[in-house]
Amino acid sequence: MNSTNLKRFQSTFLVSIIVMTLISAIMMATGMVKVDWFAPKPLTNIYGVWTEQEVAHYAADSFELRASGVFVNGRQISTHYQWDGNTLSYRLGDDVYLYNYLSNRLVRQQPAHYISTFARTQKG
């Protein structure tokens, strides 16, 4: 292959890549291709013991999620919780506890005295 043919091949290849990228971007922008195909799948089984991370073990909060509700220290504190694959919420008295799922962790957003992360230490 001489240099003229090589340059023609390289130019054609580069233009083809640019055109394919533009077509893909247009298809995603118009909704022809679902962007969530590239997103990680939400966690379907949330059951188990979730323990607060990055704090002393004696000060760490923990809770257990079961099909029957939310448990703390073996006692049921709530029979209802909502889980949509990304957000967990439940009520304890007047407080609403809200967690976002991110990188195999639950990140507590409320109550907002501080933001803490929880990892599942036992599967249910």
Side-chain angles (χ1 to χ4, degrees), residues 1-72:
M1 190 180 271
N2 62 28
S3 75
T4 307
N5 285 342
L6 180 61
K7 287 183 181 185
R8 184 176 296 143
F9 173 76
Q10 289 174 336
S11 298
T12 304
F13 183 75
L14 183 61
V15 168
S16 298
I17 295 294
I18 292 170
V19 168
M20 288 173 33
T21 302
L22 286 173
I23 289 171
S24 298
I26 290 169
M27 290 175 71
M28 281 190 245
T30 59
M32 293 174 70
V33 173
K34 299 279 185 190
V35 177
D36 61 353
W37 285 352
F38 305 108
K41 295 189 182 217
L43 183 67
T44 56
N45 180 0
I46 195 167
Y47 300 149
V49 176
W50 293 84
T51 304
E52 187 175 14
Q53 302 297 295
E54 301 170 8
V55 297
H57 71 279
Y58 55 84
D61 285 342
S62 68
F63 61 93
E64 183 177 3
L65 290 174
R66 301 180 195 166
S68 57
V70 182
F71 293 76
V72 173

Side-chain angles (χ1 to χ4, degrees), residues 40 78 84:
S78 180
D84 66 5

Side-chain angles (χ1 to χ4, degrees), residues 72-84:
V72 173
N73 296 325
R75 299 183 64 149
Q76 190 166 23
I77 61 166
S78 180
T79 57
H80 300 289
Y81 62 88
Q82 287 78 41
W83 171 247
D84 66 5

Side-chain angles (χ1 to χ4, degrees), residues 6-7 10 18 22-23 29 34 42-43 48 60 74 77 83 90-91 98 102 108 110-111 113-116 121 124:
L6 180 61
K7 287 183 181 185
Q10 289 174 336
I18 292 170
L22 286 173
I23 289 171
K34 299 279 185 190
L43 183 67
I77 61 166
W83 171 247
Y90 61 87
R91 182 175 291 280
L98 179 67
L102 180 64
R108 183 166 54 197
Q110 287 181 328
H113 49 279
Y114 65 95
I115 295 176
S116 55
T121 54

